[in-house]
Amino acid sequence: MSRPPRHLADLELAERRQAVAELGEREFRADQLSRHYFGRYTDSPEDMTDLPAAVRSALASELLPTLLTSERELACDNGATRKMLWRLHDGALVESVLMKYPDRVTMCVSSQAGCGMGCPFCATGQAGLTRNLSTAEIVAQVVAGERALRPATARPASKTPAPSATSRVSNIVFMGMGEPLANYRSVVAAVRRLTDPVPGGLGISQRSVTVSTVGLVPAIKRLTAEGLSVRLAVSLHAPDDEARDELVPVNRRWKIAEVLSAAWDYAAATGRRVSIEYALIRDVNDQPWRADLLGSLLAGHLVHVNLIPLNPTPGSKWTASRPGVQEEFVRRVAAHGVAVTVRDTRGREIDGACGQLAARAVPARTARAADVTLPDGATALPLA
Ligand code: SAH
Ligand code: SF4
């Protein structure tokens, strides 16, 4: 475990100008470099023809070190869903998933290598925490996604197709490896870098960013005070503390009532619906009475429930709910007037390939709730 090298994306624009000045260059070079990285997704000196050649290579080697090396890529649906496995400078591995839809492109990113929260149904949790990712390591996953959306060969400007809804990453979900709020500073800085306009950042809308948490109450409160308008997703998985203590061990520290109270404060401060994530596990948390309890806990709040059929990890004693049980669960939660959808399980084969359902999908009945939907006919296809 060691610190990744400093990168442009770790710094705010003013800090980048200062860093460039410290390297003996004019401050506006920081803006030029930033336009290349955040606007054109390039860190290759040869692409930076508006900078003198000697300056380019000096600045690039100091401020644009390579952070991610592709270890493996899995694709399905003719490349519409791509799972990328990255090796970091110290050998740690993280994954991200790029999902293309007709009207949007969603990128699922990791915030930590591993995770220390120990949820027993989660592959990442079973492996424990390796280390926090730096801000730039998080941003670099999205920049890599942007690059992957570009045609492989450069075309003359006149032949460049008009930008479409799917030519850029439009949505980000912090649902890859790690607990984002346990790496608070880097994650919040990454959100700013992803959402600040070019040249400060990538210019993605804050409303299209979802931060998913296991329920670290002090960090949810801190996030509420940031003044961001990102969506908050809370991984609840049980409506009662007895079950949640087992499924989400951090519940022994912050109980359901406290987590939901912090979530409602977040919704009130931002005006945004909180998403409640609930993995349905056969005979563990899928009983009708738990559906009723969940519905009554959430009724009347600015909320949306995402039910996720459990994606069993290798060797897991748990499995997904029996046919019919999920439908009954949905019906009971909805009977309380709570918006609820079941996340699509398509694309599971590539999720399973890396052990965790890193691609967080939502589907189904309310299209506007869908952050991520995986395409049909998913097959694992090792590309590298
Ligand atoms: N640590 C954060 C974000 C990463 S996990 C969190 O827990 O919210 C993203 C989502 O995947 C969470 O809702 C998590 O509960 C869910 N998840 C993890 N393992 C899963 C599995 N085996 N099947 C279904 N969902 C899973
Ligand atoms: Fe960590 Fe989220 Fe997995 Fe729990 S579900 S172990 S918090 S990544």
Side-chain angles (χ1 to χ4, degrees):
M1 164 161 157
S2 67
R3 262 179 100 83
R6 176 181 71 164
H7 187 281
L8 196 74
D10 288 314
L11 309 174
E12 287 172 16
L13 200 49
E15 296 168 328
R16 290 174 217 162
R17 291 181 186 136
Q18 197 186 331
V20 165
E22 280 163 15
L23 293 166
E25 295 300 335
R26 308 269 297 278
E27 288 191 356
F28 72 91
R29 300 287 183 212
D31 296 57
Q32 289 178 307
L33 274 190
S34 299
R35 277 198 185 84
H36 286 295
Y37 188 70
F38 292 103
R40 299 178 61 226
Y41 321 122
T42 183
D43 49 16
S44 310
E46 55 272 24
D47 292 336
M48 304 178 185
T49 50
D50 55 340
L51 284 97
V55 176
R56 290 180 216 170
S57 46
L59 290 183
S61 69
E62 286 289 338
L63 290 169
L64 294 167
T66 298
L67 299 174
L68 310 179
T69 310
S70 178
E71 178 77 11
R72 193 153 186 249
E73 198 170 310
L74 298 165
C76 67
D77 194 46
N78 295 324
T81 302
R82 290 162 73 165
K83 184 165 193 163
M84 304 164 186
L85 183 65
W86 301 109
R87 179 175 291 276
L88 308 180
H89 81 103
D90 56 355
L93 296 174
V94 295
E95 61 191 37
S96 25
V97 188
L98 183 71
M99 287 154 284
K100 279 170 99 173
Y101 305 98
D103 60 339
R104 69 193 187 284
V105 178
T106 298
M107 184 105 205
C108 176
V109 295
S110 294
S111 57
Q112 299 180 308
C115 181
M117 299 295 137
C119 307
F121 57 89
C122 168
T124 307
Q126 283 156 20
L129 176 67
T130 303
R131 69 165 169 89
N132 282 334
L133 299 196
S134 66
T135 298
E137 285 172 327
I138 298 169
V139 173
Q141 294 170 58
V142 180
V143 169
E146 298 278 19
R147 279 184 199 139
L149 292 171
R150 300 254 145 157
T153 47
R155 304 185 224 196
S158 58
K159 298 249 177 74
T160 305
S164 70
T166 55
S167 59
R168 291 205 46 196
V169 174
S170 54
N171 297 65
I172 311 280
V173 293
F174 281 83
M175 293 189 177
M177 298 170 85
E179 165 52 41
L181 296 188
N183 182 16
Y184 188 90
R185 278 176 54 158
S186 294
V187 165
V188 168
V191 168
R192 296 198 190 279
R193 229 64 86 220
L194 297 172
T195 60
D196 283 349
V198 179
L202 287 168
I204 294 167
S205 158
Q206 283 187 9
R207 298 182 65 83
S208 307
V209 175
T210 299
V211 174
S212 180
T213 180
V214 74
L216 307 184
V217 169
I220 296 174
K221 290 184 174 163
R222 204 171 153 197
L223 188 68
T224 307
E226 295 284 349
L228 296 168
S229 54
V230 298
R231 181 187 295 283
L232 180 71
V234 173
S235 297
L236 199 67
H237 305 310
D240 55 303
D241 286 317
E242 194 187 346
R244 195 167 193 266
D245 280 351
E246 187 183 359
L247 294 175
V248 182
V250 81
N251 194 66
R252 294 172 202 159
R253 179 97 173 262
W254 294 290
K255 298 289 176 201
I256 291 170
E258 239 187 308
V259 173
L260 289 181
S261 158
W264 306 147
D265 288 347
Y266 186 86
T270 57
R272 303 227 49 200
R273 281 207 292 180
V274 170
S275 178
I276 298 290
E277 309 295 304
Y278 195 110
L280 280 172
I281 311 176
R282 183 182 295 189
D283 301 332
V284 172
N285 65 355
D286 65 353
Q287 301 83 350
W289 71 267
R290 285 202 160 94
D292 292 336
L293 184 56
L294 182 67
S296 62
L297 275 183
L298 305 183
H301 291 284
L302 200 56
V303 70
H304 177 268
V305 178
N306 259 328
L307 296 174
I308 319 156
L310 183 80
N311 188 22
T313 57
S316 169
K317 59 179 174 177
W318 289 322
T319 185
S321 299
R322 287 189 178 80
V325 169
Q326 179 177 296
E327 290 69 21
E328 177 65 6
F329 202 95
V330 169
R331 203 188 57 69
R332 284 177 183 256
V333 173
H336 288 81
V338 174
V340 50
T341 47
V342 179
R343 195 185 276 177
D344 208 331
T345 56
R346 289 175 290 176
R348 255 200 184 184
E349 284 160 72
I350 60 165
D351 297 330
C354 286
Q356 193 201 3
L357 217 172
R360 305 296 145 211
V362 186
R365 278 135 210 114
T366 58
R368 79 203 140 106
D371 290 325
V372 184
T373 311
L374 292 169
D376 262 326
T379 46
L381 175 67
L383 299 179

PDB file of all heavy atoms in Angstrom, residues 277-291:
ATOM      1  N   GLU A 277     -31.369   0.951  -1.324  1.00  0.00           N
ATOM      2  CA  GLU A 277     -30.950  -0.290  -1.988  1.00  0.00           C
ATOM      3  C   GLU A 277     -31.269  -1.458  -1.049  1.00  0.00           C
ATOM      4  O   GLU A 277     -30.989  -1.393   0.162  1.00  0.00           O
ATOM      5  CB  GLU A 277     -29.448  -0.264  -2.281  1.00  0.00           C
ATOM      6  CG  GLU A 277     -28.964   0.990  -2.997  1.00  0.00           C
ATOM      7  CD  GLU A 277     -29.530   1.155  -4.389  1.00  0.00           C
ATOM      8  OE1 GLU A 277     -29.367   0.236  -5.205  1.00  0.00           O
ATOM      9  OE2 GLU A 277     -30.158   2.196  -4.665  1.00  0.00           O
ATOM     10  N   TYR A 278     -31.846  -2.517  -1.615  1.00  0.00           N
ATOM     11  CA  TYR A 278     -32.270  -3.655  -0.779  1.00  0.00           C
ATOM     12  C   TYR A 278     -32.055  -4.927  -1.580  1.00  0.00           C
ATOM     13  O   TYR A 278     -32.794  -5.216  -2.525  1.00  0.00           O
ATOM     14  CB  TYR A 278     -33.746  -3.457  -0.418  1.00  0.00           C
ATOM     15  CG  TYR A 278     -34.276  -4.316   0.725  1.00  0.00           C
ATOM     16  CD1 TYR A 278     -34.610  -3.729   1.949  1.00  0.00           C
ATOM     17  CD2 TYR A 278     -34.481  -5.686   0.579  1.00  0.00           C
ATOM     18  CE1 TYR A 278     -35.124  -4.492   2.995  1.00  0.00           C
ATOM     19  CE2 TYR A 278     -34.992  -6.455   1.624  1.00  0.00           C
ATOM     20  CZ  TYR A 278     -35.316  -5.847   2.825  1.00  0.00           C
ATOM     21  OH  TYR A 278     -35.838  -6.584   3.869  1.00  0.00           O
ATOM     22  N   ALA A 279     -31.007  -5.675  -1.243  1.00  0.00           N
ATOM     23  CA  ALA A 279     -30.734  -6.951  -1.920  1.00  0.00           C
ATOM     24  C   ALA A 279     -31.649  -8.009  -1.317  1.00  0.00           C
ATOM     25  O   ALA A 279     -31.614  -8.252  -0.112  1.00  0.00           O
ATOM     26  CB  ALA A 279     -29.268  -7.340  -1.728  1.00  0.00           C
ATOM     27  N   LEU A 280     -32.481  -8.618  -2.143  1.00  0.00           N
ATOM     28  CA  LEU A 280     -33.423  -9.628  -1.636  1.00  0.00           C
ATOM     29  C   LEU A 280     -32.714 -10.976  -1.495  1.00  0.00           C
ATOM     30  O   LEU A 280     -32.210 -11.538  -2.473  1.00  0.00           O
ATOM     31  CB  LEU A 280     -34.606  -9.766  -2.585  1.00  0.00           C
ATOM     32  CG  LEU A 280     -35.689  -8.686  -2.454  1.00  0.00           C
ATOM     33  CD1 LEU A 280     -36.707  -8.819  -3.576  1.00  0.00           C
ATOM     34  CD2 LEU A 280     -36.380  -8.751  -1.091  1.00  0.00           C
ATOM     35  N   ILE A 281     -32.687 -11.485  -0.255  1.00  0.00           N
ATOM     36  CA  ILE A 281     -31.993 -12.731   0.048  1.00  0.00           C
ATOM     37  C   ILE A 281     -33.015 -13.734   0.586  1.00  0.00           C
ATOM     38  O   ILE A 281     -33.744 -13.432   1.537  1.00  0.00           O
ATOM     39  CB  ILE A 281     -30.880 -12.507   1.095  1.00  0.00           C
ATOM     40  CG1 ILE A 281     -29.998 -11.302   0.693  1.00  0.00           C
ATOM     41  CG2 ILE A 281     -30.043 -13.770   1.277  1.00  0.00           C
ATOM     42  CD1 ILE A 281     -28.928 -10.935   1.718  1.00  0.00           C
ATOM     43  N   ARG A 282     -33.038 -14.894  -0.036  1.00  0.00           N
ATOM     44  CA  ARG A 282     -34.062 -15.906   0.273  1.00  0.00           C
ATOM     45  C   ARG A 282     -34.107 -16.232   1.772  1.00  0.00           C
ATOM     46  O   ARG A 282     -33.092 -16.600   2.367  1.00  0.00           O
ATOM     47  CB  ARG A 282     -33.771 -17.186  -0.527  1.00  0.00           C
ATOM     48  CG  ARG A 282     -34.820 -18.259  -0.314  1.00  0.00           C
ATOM     49  CD  ARG A 282     -34.477 -19.528  -1.075  1.00  0.00           C
ATOM     50  NE  ARG A 282     -34.499 -19.306  -2.520  1.00  0.00           N
ATOM     51  CZ  ARG A 282     -34.400 -20.291  -3.414  1.00  0.00           C
ATOM     52  NH1 ARG A 282     -34.252 -21.548  -3.016  1.00  0.00           N
ATOM     53  NH2 ARG A 282     -34.426 -20.017  -4.698  1.00  0.00           N
ATOM     54  N   ASP A 283     -35.288 -16.086   2.331  1.00  0.00           N
ATOM     55  CA  ASP A 283     -35.568 -16.430   3.738  1.00  0.00           C
ATOM     56  C   ASP A 283     -34.734 -15.651   4.759  1.00  0.00           C
ATOM     57  O   ASP A 283     -34.745 -15.975   5.941  1.00  0.00           O
ATOM     58  CB  ASP A 283     -35.375 -17.939   3.987  1.00  0.00           C
ATOM     59  CG  ASP A 283     -36.291 -18.776   3.099  1.00  0.00           C
ATOM     60  OD1 ASP A 283     -37.372 -18.273   2.730  1.00  0.00           O
ATOM     61  OD2 ASP A 283     -35.911 -19.912   2.754  1.00  0.00           O
ATOM     62  N   VAL A 284     -34.002 -14.647   4.295  1.00  0.00           N
ATOM     63  CA  VAL A 284     -33.200 -13.849   5.237  1.00  0.00           C
ATOM     64  C   VAL A 284     -33.864 -12.484   5.453  1.00  0.00           C
ATOM     65  O   VAL A 284     -34.083 -12.059   6.590  1.00  0.00           O
ATOM     66  CB  VAL A 284     -31.747 -13.690   4.731  1.00  0.00           C
ATOM     67  CG1 VAL A 284     -30.958 -12.702   5.591  1.00  0.00           C
ATOM     68  CG2 VAL A 284     -31.050 -15.054   4.721  1.00  0.00           C
ATOM     69  N   ASN A 285     -34.205 -11.816   4.339  1.00  0.00           N
ATOM     70  CA  ASN A 285     -34.806 -10.479   4.485  1.00  0.00           C
ATOM     71  C   ASN A 285     -35.988 -10.272   3.533  1.00  0.00           C
ATOM     72  O   ASN A 285     -36.395  -9.132   3.308  1.00  0.00           O
ATOM     73  CB  ASN A 285     -33.742  -9.396   4.253  1.00  0.00           C
ATOM     74  CG  ASN A 285     -33.228  -9.401   2.822  1.00  0.00           C
ATOM     75  OD1 ASN A 285     -33.598 -10.266   2.019  1.00  0.00           O
ATOM     76  ND2 ASN A 285     -32.396  -8.427   2.493  1.00  0.00           N
ATOM     77  N   ASP A 286     -36.525 -11.377   2.980  1.00  0.00           N
ATOM     78  CA  ASP A 286     -37.568 -11.228   1.953  1.00  0.00           C
ATOM     79  C   ASP A 286     -38.971 -11.605   2.444  1.00  0.00           C
ATOM     80  O   ASP A 286     -39.880 -11.781   1.629  1.00  0.00           O
ATOM     81  CB  ASP A 286     -37.197 -12.046   0.698  1.00  0.00           C
ATOM     82  CG  ASP A 286     -37.149 -13.565   0.938  1.00  0.00           C
ATOM     83  OD1 ASP A 286     -37.269 -13.995   2.111  1.00  0.00           O
ATOM     84  OD2 ASP A 286     -36.982 -14.305  -0.044  1.00  0.00           O
ATOM     85  N   GLN A 287     -39.173 -11.720   3.760  1.00  0.00           N
ATOM     86  CA  GLN A 287     -40.477 -12.123   4.286  1.00  0.00           C
ATOM     87  C   GLN A 287     -41.511 -11.007   4.111  1.00  0.00           C
ATOM     88  O   GLN A 287     -41.156  -9.822   4.164  1.00  0.00           O
ATOM     89  CB  GLN A 287     -40.377 -12.449   5.787  1.00  0.00           C
ATOM     90  CG  GLN A 287     -39.391 -13.554   6.142  1.00  0.00           C
ATOM     91  CD  GLN A 287     -37.938 -13.079   6.273  1.00  0.00           C
ATOM     92  OE1 GLN A 287     -37.607 -11.948   5.931  1.00  0.00           O
ATOM     93  NE2 GLN A 287     -37.074 -13.955   6.747  1.00  0.00           N
ATOM     94  N   PRO A 288     -42.783 -11.386   3.950  1.00  0.00           N
ATOM     95  CA  PRO A 288     -43.826 -10.367   3.790  1.00  0.00           C
ATOM     96  C   PRO A 288     -43.833  -9.337   4.927  1.00  0.00           C
ATOM     97  O   PRO A 288     -44.008  -8.146   4.684  1.00  0.00           O
ATOM     98  CB  PRO A 288     -45.122 -11.191   3.781  1.00  0.00           C
ATOM     99  CG  PRO A 288     -44.700 -12.558   3.311  1.00  0.00           C
ATOM    100  CD  PRO A 288     -43.308 -12.762   3.801  1.00  0.00           C
ATOM    101  N   TRP A 289     -43.603  -9.784   6.163  1.00  0.00           N
ATOM    102  CA  TRP A 289     -43.649  -8.810   7.270  1.00  0.00           C
ATOM    103  C   TRP A 289     -42.524  -7.793   7.160  1.00  0.00           C
ATOM    104  O   TRP A 289     -42.672  -6.636   7.550  1.00  0.00           O
ATOM    105  CB  TRP A 289     -43.665  -9.498   8.651  1.00  0.00           C
ATOM    106  CG  TRP A 289     -42.372 -10.161   9.086  1.00  0.00           C
ATOM    107  CD1 TRP A 289     -42.022 -11.458   8.906  1.00  0.00           C
ATOM    108  CD2 TRP A 289     -41.282  -9.546   9.791  1.00  0.00           C
ATOM    109  NE1 TRP A 289     -40.771 -11.699   9.448  1.00  0.00           N
ATOM    110  CE2 TRP A 289     -40.296 -10.549  10.004  1.00  0.00           C
ATOM    111  CE3 TRP A 289     -41.033  -8.261  10.263  1.00  0.00           C
ATOM    112  CZ2 TRP A 289     -39.083 -10.302  10.660  1.00  0.00           C
ATOM    113  CZ3 TRP A 289     -39.825  -8.014  10.925  1.00  0.00           C
ATOM    114  CH2 TRP A 289     -38.862  -9.019  11.117  1.00  0.00           C
ATOM    115  N   ARG A 290     -41.395  -8.210   6.581  1.00  0.00           N
ATOM    116  CA  ARG A 290     -40.289  -7.244   6.413  1.00  0.00           C
ATOM    117  C   ARG A 290     -40.637  -6.245   5.300  1.00  0.00           C
ATOM    118  O   ARG A 290     -40.265  -5.072   5.374  1.00  0.00           O
ATOM    119  CB  ARG A 290     -38.970  -7.957   6.138  1.00  0.00           C
ATOM    120  CG  ARG A 290     -38.384  -8.598   7.396  1.00  0.00           C
ATOM    121  CD  ARG A 290     -36.870  -8.832   7.290  1.00  0.00           C
ATOM    122  NE  ARG A 290     -36.257  -8.984   8.602  1.00  0.00           N
ATOM    123  CZ  ARG A 290     -36.032 -10.158   9.227  1.00  0.00           C
ATOM    124  NH1 ARG A 290     -36.365 -11.286   8.638  1.00  0.00           N
ATOM    125  NH2 ARG A 290     -35.471 -10.189  10.420  1.00  0.00           N
ATOM    126  N   ALA A 291     -41.357  -6.711   4.290  1.00  0.00           N
ATOM    127  CA  ALA A 291     -41.811  -5.785   3.235  1.00  0.00           C
ATOM    128  C   ALA A 291     -42.751  -4.742   3.837  1.00  0.00           C
ATOM    129  O   ALA A 291     -42.637  -3.542   3.553  1.00  0.00           O
ATOM    130  CB  ALA A 291     -42.511  -6.565   2.123  1.00  0.00           C
TER     131      ALA A 291
END
